[in-house]
Amino acid sequence: MKNLGSLIAKKSFALQNIDEKTVFFVCKKVLIEEYGERGGENITPILFKEKKLFLSPKSSLWRSEAFLHRKRICDRVNELLGAVVVQEVKLAQPQ
């Protein structure tokens, strides 16, 4: 029989190895929840590096919208992943 401490240690270890594709998938899901299909099409995750998630909006309107809600996006992504994986959301200039 395993003790609770060993199970918790294994779970936290597994959460540290979340790759970029998983973060992008969850981020896309959050963007669609927040802004609908149009938002999911117009705001794209482009890079995840050093706990920073970079998003690329297609217009200044979408950049402003994502900029105002970047903390909520970050919190929701972390909530779905079950750990603090993303500490900051950065936005690129519109394409």
Side-chain angles (χ1 to χ4, degrees), residues 15-32:
L15 291 175
Q16 292 174 355
N17 295 328
I18 294 178
D19 64 337
E20 186 177 67
K21 289 182 181 182
T22 305
V23 174
F24 285 0
F25 176 79
V26 172
C27 179
K28 200 67 158 170
K29 184 175 178 180
V30 169
L31 291 171
I32 290 171

Side-chain angles (χ1 to χ4, degrees), residues 24-65:
F24 285 0
F25 176 79
V26 172
C27 179
K28 200 67 158 170
K29 184 175 178 180
V30 169
L31 291 171
I32 290 171
E33 285 176 4
E34 290 287 325
Y35 304 112
E37 289 294 324
R38 301 283 299 226
E41 293 171 0
N42 289 304
I43 304 171
T44 309
I46 55 171
L47 180 66
F48 177 67
K49 186 176 182 181
E50 298 173 1
K51 295 194 175 193
K52 293 179 185 172
L53 178 62
F54 293 85
L55 302 176
S56 176
K58 290 192 176 179
S59 70
S60 60
L61 174 89
W62 287 107
R63 184 183 192 282
S64 297
E65 189 68 31

Side-chain angles (χ1 to χ4, degrees), residues 72-83:
R72 186 182 331 168
I73 294 168
C74 180
D75 291 342
R76 184 71 177 129
V77 168
N78 287 331
E79 180 183 328
L80 290 176
L81 290 173

